[in-house]
């Protein structure tokens, strides 16, 4: 018979609140004495990491073989040794756990490593500055850490992917803080990390913008501990007073004197939170829970303990047992509290009566009929909160019993809870040693649990759980494949190249087969291939990579495997231009320029896109390379265009001229580009001419770089008409264009005499209508009139109107005998006077 | 056509139209998240080409609200930031990064400490990282991304607002925009479900379709959202057209109201610069009775430059300007009439209302007053705008170029047209105008005689400058090929010969030129050709080949007219939209156009393939067809597509594009004439 749940309960606040101490595992003799070690615990039932505390004396003798070397031991909560990490680098200043159960180890040079539970690690650094100054301490949280450097400044690392550390505001310390703590960003109001430093008698709160002195006088403090929801702080002074205060230090919540605790000996080891309203204070062999109103509960342990705050309680690792202390959840309380008359308690009671075949059952059920649905729900919930399968089963049975009396009840919760408990009980088994509570499981996610199992190499269990919960098997399979590659030898039998190949073949086959069997369609073969490559199995990597459907995933590995051409082709094929650039820039760095160009050119049409991208990049950033590239491929037109581009960019006339000449040279090397070469010839000619012109104009007029048209125009405007004529003939400017230019220029100069002379110089190739229209447009109607007469007869009337000469228009109509035209004119006439005149003309025509 | 306004009214009804507001919301939220990730006050440095698109999804107050202290344009020269945080927001272009690197180096020299954050739009780029590394400042910058994808321009138009998409694709060969488009369309699919069918034309379109179908997962076990697994219910297909398929349309002068504004004044990111006098109401009306509703149409100026000239930016949008919705797609020739009618109606409304006697009538009138005044205001605006346009359409250059265009489209005396173009060059017409005409001549007549072409090129170079030689080379390059000699030189690359555009055959098979009396065209919009006064844009005809096959063969409106001789053609008399069955019926025509043809059915992986029966039977519920223009589209094409949408019941078009273009913007972008906006000072 398993103890009744209430056996572990302890009352507080006159029996209104209960705390329970649930023994999770018995670990007697499995762990060393915790007081000799520095310990870091992982939340959510994760493992403990232990490193010998070198400040403590140790008795030489048995089990002290590894005293001289720095080692970190990792134990599961059931006391099973999971991993031993030997540390060869500079002194470790701090280690701790990330949210995804990786151990962070930081040394005094600012180098930190992230170990998974298999001992594989990634290494990052806090940067050169930190390395120089040294790191003296750090606080490691779920998703980042804050470190104090040797110059007493604070550095924050966000996330665990090696991000650049950011400096927080400088607190201006002269000595290290007495104690310090960090409120993680996810529970802080500002959503940014906040650091609390105990300095002298006060506390400084520091974030990335400012340092705020909280102006306290009670310090210095020996412990600062923020509550799980980040709203309150537990502070312990040197004098032993425990002070609970809101995070903004505005509201003092409670005080408690730890000196009065009976049986407390020696210094206080830890101050941890249990939920958001109770604090756990530990001494060497005493654990004290301080409730909201200064009430206490004592829990005895035979030796030093280590407590880890969980979201729903606190976990204590003692020398003999691993315990969980938490406030009894509402549902359990409602059912099991002695004398409870809540519907759920009555339901549970009814079910018990029912199993004992007592008629009371029916009566009880009837009495709670209206609240039965809620009672059922509460029983289901309470089942999740129990540790012992015996009670879980009983509570679920009670719920099932109650359900039978309901007409309609959604069974989803019931089914889910059954499944969840099955999973939880499986992972709580001592060989696995993850004492996950229901609340923690809900806080995380099933897939996270699966991940934790795979990282312990428990693939079968993880796979079964995945299948049971209907999760995708992909993450498990991926991890399994990586592990498989790591474990398998290149060759099963024999030696030499052939044997290696067959070994690869076999592993590859096993992996692919497994994936297809279990439907791991989304597993990235590239990732696994990468793993194979990392452990030196390039043959296997290539084989696996062939199964990868996504080109973009193949590329990075192909690059590291130096399969350059293939990598580039795959990158182009992926359509992701950034990936192409990635490959190009990588190759540009690694290969000689010649090899690099050859690779691209030899690719043919497949690599056209890559070569175009290279050109885009090089045009902006590396023109010399582009010049070489074009030159090596005999691409004269592109070379010429590049030269012209340079010409248009350069300000210096000499350089510009030289660039245009170079372009001309390139064009003339290509027999199909005779026209372009000729044009460039003209261009150089024009540029030299313009330089000359500028000299002639004493630098008052800017000619250089202008078009032929503009040059002629400028000449005309500046009274260099001889020059204009010369340019016309030298550049074979068409008569039409020249006439228009001259017309426009002379009009702009208002030199109407010259214009008239010009119009008479020969028969206008552009007709005279253009004269009229342009002059009118520029507002010189008067001058325009004289050219109307030179225009074609039928148009004259209209043109006269344009000049505002209605009478003359009328006269023309008369001359031509155009009655209809006259009629039209009359209709359009702007005022009566003109209308009358037109009428006169009309009448005179008859 | 008294039923016309009704038509428009029904087209506005939310009949299952995909709500593009969602895209705006996403863009906005992403921006806020990006800004909030940097703690404290920050100086925002903005790439000017992003200001427009950002202005369409957010406003300055929102930025200020999220800690933006000051804003600057990203441009060379020093930056006077006062906040410790400097946030850069730009497209991943090398020139911008160099400026940023320069800023950082300057500050480092002055030993001033700032925290630099760089948000790249739409994603982080290796290239940028590399350049920052080469400049030696990579360690100082935190690089992140702001994924700005489709920006809604109207409730049926979304755009990536990628200015240089055309040049990137067909001049530089930089396919980034295809990838970005594929990403944006994937986001779109995530929201609304898989496109059941992808139909497309052109090599770029084919590439996009391949990328798009690759993005969609192959099996249902994958971690992608459900929407990527099931075909959309709201959308029946995606039609992708790359700009190469129809180069003729953008080269023509747009003749719809909105198109003409773009041609003659210029619309940028839905904003047009107008004289301030046109925008500000003359004097606040004294009638206080009207209450708060009197507020004039808010001409939001999202990110105004400090240029203190008389010009003011105005956001052309239908949300605050109901009149614009009626006007934007009209042929300009009928805009005057429309304005006149509206003016008269307004006048009447005022007058009848002023005669109101009883208190109840008065209250009624006061209630309407706000609406009337808004309408009045927008009438004033559009009348003024039309007055601005009219003289510009009267110029000789404008009319001459229209005449040449029409003649070229009809292949009427091509050599005379080329001489006319030459004449225009001699007269000093705008470079982009003459070059557009020249390209048009080359495409429609399959190339220009080599000798003539050489002459005219020489004229161009002499008239506008020898520095335009690279532009001419680009236009003739194998990737673009819109200015070619005929016959092609013997050693021309194969890709060039394959580009030959079968214009004359298309003109017949797609009924591009509508022989109609000009009055008829003006009077009745009975075919998409109303947009170009007689020419039907090829791109939209191709869409019709997929979505309205009857419309290619004959004018549906005309038919409806004749059917309705007896009884009035009520809106419900419209034909039910046909289901999408790919290019069926037009395979030959489509095959004749250079470029790959795409037709992919995306069944999704849930196995819920729509039944054949339901595909063929006219479905009662309305669907949306997404038309994506790779390389940009013109306002006129949008107008034409809206017209197609109005002809059928049960299908709406959603236009997606890489950006809004016009012939001028294409030529300018290739010539490298950066129309970079923005003043030089802080905002």
């Amino acid at each position: 018979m398993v103890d009744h749940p209430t056996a572990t309960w302890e009352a507080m606040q006159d029996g209104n609140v209960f705390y329970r101490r649930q023994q999770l595992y018995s670990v007697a003799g499995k762990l060393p004495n915790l007081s000799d070690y520095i310990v870091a615990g992982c939340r959510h039932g994760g493992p403990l990491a232990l490193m010998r505390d070198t400040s403590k004396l140790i008795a030489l003798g048995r089990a002290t073989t590894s005293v001289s070397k720095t080692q970190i031991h990792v134990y599961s909560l059931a006391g099973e040794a999971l991993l031993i990490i030997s540390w060869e680098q500079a002194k470790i200043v701090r280690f701790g756990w990330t949210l995804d159960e990786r151990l962070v180890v930081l040394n005094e040079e600012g180098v930190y490593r992230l170990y998974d539970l298999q001992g594989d690690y990634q290494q990052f650094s806090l940067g050169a500055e930190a390395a120089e100054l040294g790191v003296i301490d750090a606080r490691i949280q779920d998703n980042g850490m804050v470190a104090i450097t040797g110059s007493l400044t604070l550095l924050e690392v966000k996330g665990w992917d090696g991000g650049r550390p950011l400096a927080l505001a400088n607190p201006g310390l002269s000595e290290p803080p007495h104690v310090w703590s960090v409120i993680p960003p996810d529970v802080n109001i500002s959503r940014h990390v906040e650091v609390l430093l105990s300095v002298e008698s006060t506390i400084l709160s520091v974030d990335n913008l400012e340092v705020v002195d909280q102006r306290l006088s009670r310090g210095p403090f020996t412990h600062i501990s923020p509550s799980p929801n980040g709203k309150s702080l537990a502070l312990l002074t040197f004098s032993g007073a425990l002070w609970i205060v809101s995070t903004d230090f505005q509201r003092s919540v409670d005080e408690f004197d730890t000196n009065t605790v009976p049986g407390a000996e020696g210094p206080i080891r830890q101050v941890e939170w249990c939920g958001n309203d109770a604090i756990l204070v530990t001494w060497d062999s005493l654990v004290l829970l301080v409730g909201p109103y200064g009430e206490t509960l004592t829990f005895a342990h035979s030796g030093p303990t280590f407590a880890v705050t969980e979201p729903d309680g606190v976990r204590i690792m003692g020398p003999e047992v691993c315990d969980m202390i938490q406030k009894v959840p509402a549902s359990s309380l409602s059912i099991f509290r002695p004398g409870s008359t809540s519907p759920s308690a009555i339901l549970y009671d009814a079910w018990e009566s029912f199993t004992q075949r007592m008629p009371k059952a029916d009566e009880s059920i009837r009495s709670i009929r209206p609240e039965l649905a809620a009672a059922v729900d509460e029983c289901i919930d309470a089942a999740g909160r129990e540790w012992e399968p015996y009670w879980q089963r009983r509570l679920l049975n009670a719920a099932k019993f109650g359900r039978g009396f309901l007409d309609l009840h959604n069974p989803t919760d019931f089914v889910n809870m059954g499944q969840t408990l099955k999973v939880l009980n499986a992972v709580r088994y001592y060989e696995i040693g993850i004492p996950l509570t229901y609340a923690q499981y809900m806080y995380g996610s099933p897939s996270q649990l699966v991940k934790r199992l795979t990282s312990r190499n428990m693939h079968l269990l993880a796979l079964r759980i995945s299948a049971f919960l209907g999760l995708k098997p992909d993450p498990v399979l991926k991890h399994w494949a990586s592990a498989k590659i790591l474990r398998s030898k290149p060759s099963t039998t024999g030696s030499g190249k052939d044997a290696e190949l067959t070994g690869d073949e076999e592993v590859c086959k096993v992996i692919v087969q497994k994936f297809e069997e279990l439907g791991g369609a989304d597993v990235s073969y590239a990732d696994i291939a990468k793993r194979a490559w990392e452990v030196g199995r390039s043959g296997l990597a290539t084989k696996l990579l062939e199964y990868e459907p996504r080109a973009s995933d193949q590329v990075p590995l192909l690059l590291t495997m130096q399969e350059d051409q293939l990598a580039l082709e795959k990158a182009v094929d992926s359509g992701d231009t950034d990936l192409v650039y990635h490959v190009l820039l990588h190759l540009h760095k690694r290969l000689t320029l010649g090899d690099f160009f050859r690779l691209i050119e030899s690719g043919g049409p497949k690599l056209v896109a890559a070569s175009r991208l290279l050109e885009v990049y090089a045009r902006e950033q590396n023109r010399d390379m582009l010049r070489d590239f074009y030159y090596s491929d005999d691409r004269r037109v592109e070379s010429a265009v590049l030269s012209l581009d340079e010409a248009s960019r350069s300000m210096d006339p000499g350089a510009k001229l030289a660039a245009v000449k170079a372009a001309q040279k390139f064009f003339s090397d290509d027999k199909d580009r005779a026209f372009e070469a000729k044009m460039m010839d003209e261009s150089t000619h024009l540029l030299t001419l313009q330089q000359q012109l500028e000299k002639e104009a004493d630098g008052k007029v800017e000619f250089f770089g202008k078009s032929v048209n503009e040059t002629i125009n400028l000449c005309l405007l500046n009274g260099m008409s001889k020059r204009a004529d010369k340019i016309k003939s030298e550049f074979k400017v068409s008569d039409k264009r020249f006439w228009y230019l001259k017309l426009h220029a002379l009009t702009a100069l208002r030199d109407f005499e010259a214009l008239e002379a010009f119009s008479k110089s020969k028969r206008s190739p552009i007709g005279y209508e253009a004269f009229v229209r342009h002059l009118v447009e520029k507002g010189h109607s008067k001058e325009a009139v004289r050219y109307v007469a030179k225009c074609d007869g039928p148009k004259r009337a209209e043109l006269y109107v344009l000049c505002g000469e209605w009478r003359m228009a009328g006269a023309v109509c008369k001359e031509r005998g155009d009655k209809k035209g006259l009629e039209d004119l009359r209709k359009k006439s702007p005022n009566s006077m003109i209308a009358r005149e037109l009428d006169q003309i009309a009448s005179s025509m008859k | 056509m008294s039923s016309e306004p009704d038509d428009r009214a029904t087209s506005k009804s939310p009949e299952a139209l995909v709500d593009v507001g969602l895209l705006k919301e996403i863009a906005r939220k992403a921006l806020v998240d990006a800004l909030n990730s940097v703690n404290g006050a920050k100086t925002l440095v903005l790439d000017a080409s992003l200001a427009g698109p950002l202005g369409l999804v957010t406003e300055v107050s929102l930025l200020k609200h999220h800690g933006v202290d000051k804003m600057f344009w990203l441009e060379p020269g020093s930056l006077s930031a006062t906040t410790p945080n400097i946030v850069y927001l730009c497209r991943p272009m090398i020139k911008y990064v160099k400026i940023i690197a320069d800023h950082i180096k300057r500050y480092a020299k002055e030993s001033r400490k700032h925290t630099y954050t760089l948000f790249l739009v739409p994603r982080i780029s290796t290239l940028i990282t590399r350049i920052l590394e080469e400049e030696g400042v990579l360690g100082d910058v935190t690089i992140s991304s702001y994924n700005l994808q489709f920006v809604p321009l109207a409730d049926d138009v979304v755009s990536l607002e990628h200015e240089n998409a055309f040049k990137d694709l067909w001049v530089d060969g930089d396919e980034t925009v295809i990838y970005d488009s594929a990403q944006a369309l994937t986001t779109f699919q995530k929201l609304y479900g898989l496109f059941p069918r992808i139909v497309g034309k052109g090599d770029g379109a084919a590439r996009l379709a391949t990328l798009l179908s690759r993005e969609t997962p192959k099996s249902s076990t994958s971690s992608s959202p459900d929407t990527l697994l099931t075909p959309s219910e709201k959308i029946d297909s995606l039609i992708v057209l790359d700009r190469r398929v129809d180069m003729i349309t953008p080269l023509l002068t747009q003749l719809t109201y909105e198109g003409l504004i773009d041609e003659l004044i210029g619309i940028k990111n839905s904003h047009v610069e107008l004289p301030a006098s046109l925008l500000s109401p003359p004097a606040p009306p004294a009638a206080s009775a009207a209450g708060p509703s009197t507020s004039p149409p808010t001409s939001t100026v999202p990110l105004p430059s400090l240029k203190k000239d008389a010009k003011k930016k105005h956001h052309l949008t239908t949300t605050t300007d109901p009149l614009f919705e009626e006007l934007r797609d009209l042929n300009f020739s009928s805009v005057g009439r429309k304005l006149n009618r509206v003016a008269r109606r307004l006048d009447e409304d005022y007058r009848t209302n002023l005669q109101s006697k009883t208190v109840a009538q008065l209250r009624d009138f006061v209630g309407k007053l706000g609406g009337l005044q808004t309408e009045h205001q927008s009438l004033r605006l559009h009348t003024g705008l039309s007055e601005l346009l009219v003289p510009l359409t009267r110029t000789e250059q404008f009319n001459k170029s229209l005449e040449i265009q029409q003649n070229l489209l009809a292949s009427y005396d091509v050599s005379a047209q080329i001489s006319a173009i030459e004449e225009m060059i001699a007269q000093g017409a705008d470079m982009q105008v003459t070059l557009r005409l020249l390209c048009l001549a080359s495409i429609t007549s399959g190339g220009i005689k080599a000798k003539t072409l050489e002459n005219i090129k020489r004229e161009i170079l002499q008239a506008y400058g020898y520095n335009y030689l690279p532009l001419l080379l680009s236009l003739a390059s194998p990737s673009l090929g819109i200015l070619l000699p005929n016959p092609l030189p013997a050693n021309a690359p194969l890709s060039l010969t394959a580009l030959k555009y079968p214009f004359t055959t298309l003109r017949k098979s797609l009924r591009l030129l509508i022989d109609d009396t000009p009055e008829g065209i003006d009077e009745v919009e009975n075919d998409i050709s109303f947009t170009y006064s007689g020419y039907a844009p090829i791109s939209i005809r191709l869409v019709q080949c997929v979505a309205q096959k009857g419309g290619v063969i004959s004018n549906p409106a005309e038919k409806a007219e004749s059917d309705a001789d007896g009884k009035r053609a009520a809106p419900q008399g419209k034909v039910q939209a046909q289901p999408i069955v790919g290019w069926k019926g037009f395979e030959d025509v489509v095959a004749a156009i250079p470029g790959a043809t795409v037709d992919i059915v995306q069944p999704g992986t849930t196995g819920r393939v729509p039944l054949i029966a339901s595909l063929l039977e006219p479905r009662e519920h309305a669907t949306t067809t997404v038309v994506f223009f790779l390389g940009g589209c013109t306002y006129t094409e949008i107008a034409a597509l809206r017209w197609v949408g109005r002809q059928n019941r049960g299908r709406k078009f959603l236009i997606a594009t890489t950006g809004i273009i016009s012939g001028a913007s294409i030529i300018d972008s290739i010539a490298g004439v950066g129309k970079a906006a923005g003043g030089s000072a802080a905002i």
Side-chain angles (χ1 to χ4, degrees), chain A residues 231-233 242-247 249-256 273 276-277 279 291-294:
Chain A
K231 293 211 170 91
S232 327
L233 292 174
L242 182 65
W243 182 33
I244 294 113
V245 68
S246 64
T247 313
F249 295 92
Q250 295 303 308
R251 202 163 48 86
S252 177
V253 180
D254 201 4
E255 281 199 54
F256 180 79
W273 285 80
N276 286 311
D277 54 1
I279 291 149
Y293 299 101

Side-chain angles (χ1 to χ4, degrees), chain A residues 164 208 472 522 572-573 576-578 585 612 617 620-621 672 675 682 708-709 731 736-737 740, chain B residues 39 98 123 125-126 130 134 139 171 176 207 214 221-222 423 427 454 458-459 462-463 466 491:
Chain A
R164 209 163 57 85
N208 54 356
K472 274 173 276 164
D522 258 15
V572 169
D573 188 45
D576 181 350
T577 44
D578 196 50
L585 296 175
R612 301 299 292 267
Y617 157 76
E620 292 289 339
Q621 187 68 6
D672 294 330
F675 168 72
E682 280 188 16
V708 175
N709 272 16
F731 286 88
K736 275 188 182 178
R737 188 141 55 85
Y740 273 115
Chain B
N39 198 14
K98 285 188 159 172
R123 60 189 185 123
S125 133
T126 323
R130 170 67 173 268
E134 280 172 10
V171 178
T176 310
R207 184 99 174 110
R214 206 184 280 164
T221 54
S222 54
E423 175 94 22
Q427 286 174 20
E454 215 156 85
R458 191 167 157 272
E459 288 288 298
Q462 288 199 352
Y466 292 105
N491 58 353

Side-chain angles (χ1 to χ4, degrees), chain A residues 36-37 52-64 67:
Chain A
D36 293 339
Y37 285 82
R52 214 186 70 77
D53 187 348
T54 45
S55 66
K56 299 276 170 68
L57 292 177
I58 187 165
L60 280 171
R62 58 180 180 84
T64 48
V67 185

